[in-house]
Amino acid sequence: MDITAEIRAKLGDDWLPSIYEHKIRPLRTRSLSIDVPAKENAATINYTLLGIELQIGRRRFACPDLATARYMRIFARVGCSAFAAPYDITQISALADDLETSWQRMLLLIAASTGGKPTRSVSQTRSRIIRAIRDEIERTGAGEVMPAFDRETRQRK
């Protein structure tokens, strides 16, 4: 059995693309895009005088709050340049928790399955798994730039 399929099977519903497809995409979402290379990236959250920024390499992206920065960091790590974000900002923090937990569990499973192997083999395995995650997220898609507002609303007269 291929190691990517093995890790995906062990994670089950906690597989990162599965969370994205089943918990995030059914919500009312807007698409976000960030200019990141399609590879594993080191992403850090910086606290500046002007607010919170997500830094990937030399690029910095302003974020409205910490929850959004944490949410965007997951997609920046796997190299997804376009992804969906919940329109309701109260849901972003819980979804960021789910995505970060999935990411950490995946890293632990990779370390457990590649224990004792050469460093090059471990990095190739990790790259293959991250590529599979990125491909599945891109297949699911980022959706529309703005969500559809098809609900009845009351307006002042």
Side-chain angles (χ1 to χ4, degrees):
M1 178 185 248
D2 151 85
I3 196 161
T4 305
E6 180 184 324
I7 288 178
R8 183 179 185 178
K10 285 181 182 177
L11 286 172
D13 290 338
D14 291 337
W15 174 245
L16 209 139
S18 179
I19 293 171
Y20 181 74
E21 183 178 357
H22 299 297
K23 287 186 177 180
I24 297 169
R25 289 298 291 138
L27 301 173
R28 178 182 283 189
T29 59
R30 64 185 187 278
S31 73
L32 296 177
S33 62
I34 52 178
D35 187 20
V36 295
K39 63 179 182 104
E40 183 179 7
N41 299 295
T44 57
I45 296 174
N46 297 328
Y47 302 90
T48 67
L49 292 173
L50 300 175
I52 298 173
E53 293 179 339
L54 179 66
Q55 182 177 355
I56 302 116
R58 291 183 177 205
R59 295 184 177 248
R60 293 173 182 244
F61 302 96
C63 298
D65 58 4
L66 180 60
T68 305
R70 288 176 47 229
Y71 183 86
M72 290 173 63
R73 179 173 56 182
I74 292 296
F75 295 100
R77 281 178 178 164
V78 296
C80 284
S81 57
F83 52 92
Y87 194 73
D88 182 4
I89 60 171
T90 61
Q91 296 176 337
I92 293 176
S93 182
L95 291 169
D97 289 342
D98 291 345
L99 293 171
E100 286 180 338
T101 301
S102 172
W103 176 261
Q104 293 302 325
R105 285 191 59 211
M106 180 200 65
L107 293 179
L108 290 172
L109 289 172
I110 290 172
S113 357
T114 58
K117 292 187 178 177
T119 308
R120 181 180 168 109
S121 174
V122 172
S123 64
Q124 287 176 344
T125 300
R126 186 172 165 142
S127 295
R128 194 176 14 209
I129 292 169
I130 289 173
R131 188 177 318 114
I133 289 171
R134 183 175 50 253
D135 291 345
E136 284 187 44
I137 289 173
E138 288 174 353
R139 214 172 306 123
T140 303
E144 299 297 319
V145 175
M146 288 296 292
F149 290 100
D150 53 359
R151 294 184 182 166
E152 284 289 320
T153 59
R154 278 190 313 203
Q155 295 182 353
R156 290 185 223 156
K157 292 184 180 181

